[in-house]
Amino acid sequence: MNNNYEVDLSILHNELILLLELTNGNDTVTIEEELLLNIDWNKFLQLARHHRVFPLIYSKINKINNEFIPSHVVQTLYQDYKINTIKMLQLSGEMGEISKYFSENSINLLYLKGPVIANEIYGDISLRTSKDLDILVEKKNYNRVEKLLLNLGYEKEEHSKTFIDWKWRKHHEAFFHPEKKIQIEIHWRLHPAPTKEPSFNEMWKRKRESKLTGHPVYYLGKEDLFLYLVAHGSRHGWFRLRWLADIDQMVRKDESTNQDKIIIKKFQYYHLGKQNDLLIGQALILASLLLKTPISKDKHTYTTGKKSRKLANLAITNIVEIGNTEFDYIKENMNNAQGNHFCSKIRKSLSFNLYKFSIKSKIQKVIFILTLLTPSSKDIDTIRLPKPLFFLYYPLRPFLLIWRKISKNVN
């Protein structure tokens, strides 16, 4: 891997290197024999599932010398690929039905991810995974949207609403259909507050139409989608390579044509000020280093800053550590070694939270700290106090945060 960004790639292990080689958008696949002979295939399969890139890997695995790849690995990838294809077809059908039903009720929808994005970015819905449908609606229409989904048999995810923080702390609500086994997330913002982003009407004007289903389905315009995926991936520390693979595919497609280019500068909305550019730089550096994404001169200007390179370094650490933790969890469970797993989860959690804090703007950091001190509905779910004693949630807040974190890592 070429490294012109002063980013440490020495922590990449063989299994991750092979995964990256099979995930990038290059049509030709060349893998050194020595690498294939030094692979822990169980770890490789676990990473492919964790990073949600097994459809891409299966589509490429037959292009390399199969005599070095165990047959059970190919068969496992094939089974995962088939299951995912069926899931994506099911989501596609539901996407068309939801779009038709909401259109009949005069509700505009924009799909953020799911099959429509897989079809746009990869040209094949089977090459990307999606566990649910993410739908953006205008905030004023949320109550109507909720009623319509309930009419269709969806059930709303339960949560406490005792505190009035729900509207500004959250940016989406989840609904689940018990018979169809389909989950839908209804978003009234692209990202958690406080972030600067365009209004729904602005994005609706820039929408694109997909003919993937029998009824027209609308999704984000090219620039909006690119910046949304950058912001979403960076917020989650790129701990799933599927998000970076999306960026890789979009940039490659953009560089292969002289028309309809992604105009990044026109839409600055995720973080305030220069933080937006830093996250674009981070994404492009990661894509270039890990997936060999070609970066043109107009985009290369985002990759020159030291802060973007620092954020890229932090993200690579997240990618490696979280992937290793997932694999270690399986091995340690087999040996009943829960203690070591618990410690590794704590270290991972601390590292990830430090990363998430580092990508925030100064204003967001201040608001984040104030938010940490403010009780939330999760505190009520953790320990129930009588309403006259609600004031105790303020001094209890730090302890409840730590308790939830420890409980989550133990589970």
Side-chain angles (χ1 to χ4, degrees), residues 45 106 112 135 173 194 265 303 338:
L45 286 173
S106 303
L112 300 177
I135 301 173
E173 274 291 320
K265 278 290 186 183
T303 67
Q338 293 286 351

Side-chain angles (χ1 to χ4, degrees), residues 222-240:
K222 179 180 277 192
E223 290 82 7
D224 286 317
L225 178 61
F226 179 78
L227 290 180
Y228 170 70
L229 294 175
V230 166
H232 182 270
S234 66
R235 179 157 52 86
H236 291 286
W238 301 102
F239 74 84
R240 293 204 198 282

Side-chain angles (χ1 to χ4, degrees), residues 209-303:
E209 180 181 333
S210 172
K211 299 292 178 56
L212 184 61
T213 66
H215 190 275
V217 171
Y218 301 105
Y219 62 107
L220 295 175
K222 179 180 277 192
E223 290 82 7
D224 286 317
L225 178 61
F226 179 78
L227 290 180
Y228 170 70
L229 294 175
V230 166
H232 182 270
S234 66
R235 179 157 52 86
H236 291 286
W238 301 102
F239 74 84
R240 293 204 198 282
L241 288 172
R242 177 186 63 187
W243 303 322
L244 198 62
D246 292 342
I247 300 300
D248 172 57
Q249 292 284 341
M250 285 195 75
V251 174
R252 286 178 189 274
K253 187 180 291 187
D254 194 48
E255 299 305 331
S256 67
T257 177
N258 293 321
Q259 298 178 344
D260 199 23
K261 290 277 189 180
I262 296 174
I263 307 172
I264 300 174
K265 278 290 186 183
K266 189 176 178 182
F267 306 101
Q268 302 266 328
Y269 64 84
Y270 177 54
H271 277 291
L272 303 179
K274 295 182 179 180
Q275 199 74 0
N276 184 76
D277 292 355
L278 296 176
L279 297 184
I280 294 171
Q282 179 204 42
L284 294 178
I285 290 172
L286 289 172
S288 175
L289 290 179
L290 300 183
L291 300 179
K292 301 178 180 178
T293 310
I295 307 298
S296 60
K297 290 182 179 179
D298 62 311
K299 295 184 180 69
H300 182 67
T301 56
Y302 290 94
T303 67

Side-chain angles (χ1 to χ4, degrees), residues 4 29 31 49 61 75 84-85 158 164 182 201 218 224 261 263 267 276-277 326 332 353 366 401 409:
N4 299 319
V29 183
I31 309 293
R49 286 170 168 167
I61 205 80
Q75 187 61 28
N84 178 67
T85 301
E158 292 296 326
I164 60 173
I182 291 178
N201 288 333
Y218 301 105
D224 286 317
K261 290 277 189 180
I263 307 172
F267 306 101
N276 184 76
D277 292 355
E326 295 292 328
E332 290 168 5
N353 284 327
V366 172
L401 279 172
N409 285 316

Side-chain angles (χ1 to χ4, degrees), residues 109-371:
L109 303 176
L110 284 171
Y111 284 85
L112 300 177
K113 290 182 288 184
V116 68
I117 303 306
N119 187 61
E120 163 63 21
I121 296 177
Y122 298 91
D124 185 343
I125 63 170
S126 69
L127 294 182
R128 191 184 191 277
T129 64
S130 293
K131 70 179 181 65
D132 56 21
L133 295 174
D134 294 82
I135 301 173
L136 181 69
V137 301
E138 199 168 2
K139 188 176 181 180
K140 68 178 184 180
N141 289 331
Y142 174 79
N143 290 334
R144 289 182 60 204
V145 168
E146 179 179 327
K147 290 179 181 178
L148 291 174
L149 285 177
L150 295 177
N151 289 340
L152 290 174
Y154 280 87
E155 297 177 356
K156 188 175 181 180
E157 185 180 75
E158 292 296 326
H159 63 85
S160 173
K161 290 188 184 178
T162 307
F163 278 108
I164 60 173
D165 65 346
W166 175 74
K167 287 185 178 179
W168 72 271
R169 287 202 190 201
K170 300 189 73 174
H171 65 295
H172 64 76
E173 274 291 320
F175 296 81
F176 183 75
H177 200 293
E179 295 179 5
K180 296 180 179 180
K181 308 298 182 186
I182 291 178
Q183 179 173 300
I184 289 179
E185 285 191 354
I186 298 297
H187 297 242
W188 52 91
R189 288 181 57 87
L190 289 174
H191 312 288
T195 51
K196 184 180 180 181
E197 59 185 54
S199 68
F200 180 88
N201 288 333
E202 288 179 81
M203 289 182 281
W204 181 256
K205 291 176 182 177
R206 299 193 288 265
K207 71 182 183 300
R208 289 178 287 176
E209 180 181 333
S210 172
K211 299 292 178 56
L212 184 61
T213 66
H215 190 275
V217 171
Y218 301 105
Y219 62 107
L220 295 175
K222 179 180 277 192
E223 290 82 7
D224 286 317
L225 178 61
F226 179 78
L227 290 180
Y228 170 70
L229 294 175
V230 166
H232 182 270
S234 66
R235 179 157 52 86
H236 291 286
W238 301 102
F239 74 84
R240 293 204 198 282
L241 288 172
R242 177 186 63 187
W243 303 322
L244 198 62
D246 292 342
I247 300 300
D248 172 57
Q249 292 284 341
M250 285 195 75
V251 174
R252 286 178 189 274
K253 187 180 291 187
D254 194 48
E255 299 305 331
S256 67
T257 177
N258 293 321
Q259 298 178 344
D260 199 23
K261 290 277 189 180
I262 296 174
I263 307 172
I264 300 174
K265 278 290 186 183
K266 189 176 178 182
F267 306 101
Q268 302 266 328
Y269 64 84
Y270 177 54
H271 277 291
L272 303 179
K274 295 182 179 180
Q275 199 74 0
N276 184 76
D277 292 355
L278 296 176
L279 297 184
I280 294 171
Q282 179 204 42
L284 294 178
I285 290 172
L286 289 172
S288 175
L289 290 179
L290 300 183
L291 300 179
K292 301 178 180 178
T293 310
I295 307 298
S296 60
K297 290 182 179 179
D298 62 311
K299 295 184 180 69
H300 182 67
T301 56
Y302 290 94
T303 67
T304 57
K306 290 183 178 180
K307 185 66 181 295
S308 290
R309 298 181 184 190
K310 180 181 178 181
L311 291 177
N313 258 316
L314 290 172
I316 289 176
T317 301
N318 283 334
I319 292 169
V320 173
E321 287 187 354
I322 293 177
N324 284 344
T325 302
E326 295 292 328
F327 181 68
D328 290 341
Y329 174 70
I330 294 175
K331 291 196 302 181
E332 290 168 5
N333 268 347
M334 293 172 64
N335 298 324
N336 293 320
Q338 293 286 351
N340 290 337
H341 173 65
F342 171 75
C343 293
S344 66
K345 288 284 262 184
I346 289 293
R347 288 195 300 271
K348 181 205 76 173
S349 178
L350 289 173
S351 174
F352 187 57
N353 284 327
L354 285 173
Y355 164 82
K356 289 199 295 184
F357 188 74
S358 70
I359 68 171
K360 296 181 184 294
S361 65
K362 291 180 181 178
I363 294 176
Q364 287 179 317
K365 287 177 180 177
V366 172
I367 295 175
F368 175 75
I369 293 172
L370 293 175
T371 301

